[in-house]
Amino acid sequence: EAGVAQSPRYKIIEKRQSVAFWCNPISGHATLYWYQQILGQGPKLLIQFQNNGVVDDSQLPKDRFSAERLKGVDSTLKIQPAKLEDSAVYLCASSPRGSADTGELFFGEGSRLTVL
Amino acid sequence: KNQVEQSPQSLIILEGKNCTLQCNYTVSPFSNLRWYKQDTGRGPVSLTIMTFSENTKSNGRYTATLDADTKQSSLHITASQLSDSASYICVVSRTSGTYKYIFGTGTRLKVLA
C-alpha cells in the first residue's frame, strides 16, 4: 500500500515570496490534515478536511495561508506571502476514519520550508 | 486546558541500554493514546496505541504503559539500537470537541555506539 506522498521535500524561498505544497493521501482515506512542525516542537494542526470539505481551519493564518482538497483526494497548501516564522516542516497526514473518529494518523515525509 | 507534556526533552544513552520516556496529559474526554516515532527528516510513524482499559502493550523492544487514573504513560525501550535514535511523540486523542489529536513536543533520543 502506497503511503502519503508529499512534494516538494525541501523548499527555500525569500520572505514575501509564495510557495505551494502538495499532498496525495493514502487511497480511500477520507480525512486529510495539514500540520506545521517547527523545529523542536510537536506538530500543530493547520487545517483538517473530510473528503473535500473543511472540518477545522481555526488555526490556519488565513491572511497568508490557503488550502484546498481537490475532489476529496489530493490537497495543496499555499503560503503567500511567506514570513520568516513560516520556516518549518509541513506534514500532511491522512486517516481512513471520519473526522469524528480518532484513528491512526498516517503521515507523509513532510515538506521542509526555509524562509530567508 | 488540554495538554500533553513529555519528559525528558532529550536523552542520550549507550547502545544496548534501556530507557523510559514519560508522557503526562490533561486531555478529556480521553479516547486513546499513541506513541509515534519520528526519524530525522521523516514523518511520524505510530508505534503503539493505548485505550482506556489497557495498561501495557508491547511492540518488539517497545513497551508502552498507561495509567488512566494518574493520566500518565511511559514508553520503555529495551536493549536500545542505533536505529532507535529519533524523536518520540506522545499523542492523546479526544472523543469529542475540536482538536481531536493533542500532540506532545516529543523526546529526542540519541543512541551512541
Side-chain angles (χ1 to χ4, degrees):
Chain A
E1 179 181 73
V4 176
Q6 289 189 246
S7 67
R9 288 294 313 279
Y10 306 93
K11 189 73 176 178
I12 300 175
I13 61 174
E14 295 186 347
K15 60 183 179 183
R16 290 187 290 274
Q17 287 187 323
S18 63
V19 63
F21 303 114
W22 173 81
C23 172
N24 185 10
I26 293 173
S27 178
H29 280 199
T31 310
L32 184 148
Y33 307 80
W34 282 102
Y35 286 90
Q36 180 192 59
Q37 187 176 27
I38 294 174
L39 187 64
Q41 299 182 18
K44 169 190 168 186
L45 178 67
L46 292 176
I47 189 167
Q48 176 184 346
F49 293 94
Q50 180 162 353
N51 298 313
N52 61 353
V54 175
V55 174
D56 183 357
D57 64 355
S58 56
Q59 297 192 110
L60 186 73
K62 298 180 185 65
D63 57 334
R64 299 182 301 106
F65 286 65
S66 65
E68 61 180 358
R69 189 177 184 192
L70 304 174
K71 299 179 181 178
V73 182
D74 293 6
S75 178
T76 56
L77 176 70
K78 297 179 181 177
I79 306 174
Q80 180 179 12
K83 292 185 175 182
L84 296 177
E85 58 261 36
D86 298 332
S87 294
V89 175
Y90 291 86
L91 292 167
C92 178
S94 69
S95 172
R97 304 279 187 87
S99 60
D101 291 324
T102 53
E104 180 178 351
L105 294 176
F106 295 83
F107 287 89
E109 301 281 79
S111 294
R112 180 179 296 277
L113 173 65
T114 301
V115 182
L116 303 176
Chain B
K1 185 177 180 180
N2 293 293
Q3 284 187 316
V4 175
E5 296 184 349
Q6 293 187 242
S7 62
Q9 193 171 24
S10 61
L11 183 62
I12 300 175
I13 62 174
L14 293 176
E15 187 178 17
K17 298 296 185 181
N18 304 335
C19 67
T20 300
L21 313 180
Q22 299 290 342
C23 172
N24 297 338
Y25 61 93
T26 56
V27 176
S28 65
F30 179 88
S31 176
N32 57 60
L33 182 149
R34 283 188 171 85
W35 284 93
Y36 283 82
K37 178 186 180 187
Q38 185 174 23
D39 291 316
T40 300
R42 311 292 292 273
V45 175
S46 178
L47 290 174
T48 65
I49 175 175
M50 307 289 291
T51 58
F52 188 85
S53 58
E54 294 175 312
N55 299 120
T56 304
K57 184 172 285 188
S58 293
N59 177 5
R61 295 180 296 101
Y62 300 101
T63 300
T65 66
L66 175 66
D67 185 333
D69 291 331
T70 62
K71 298 187 176 181
Q72 296 179 327
S73 175
S74 65
L75 181 69
H76 185 76
I77 303 175
T78 304
S80 62
Q81 300 177 358
L82 298 179
S83 59
D84 293 330
S85 295
S87 288
Y88 293 84
I89 303 174
C90 176
V91 183
V92 182
S93 301
R94 308 168 67 207
T95 57
S96 64
T98 55
Y99 312 133
K100 292 275 193 311
Y101 299 94
I102 311 298
F103 286 76
T105 55
T107 292
R108 197 172 305 175
L109 174 65
K110 179 72 173 177
V111 181
L112 301 177

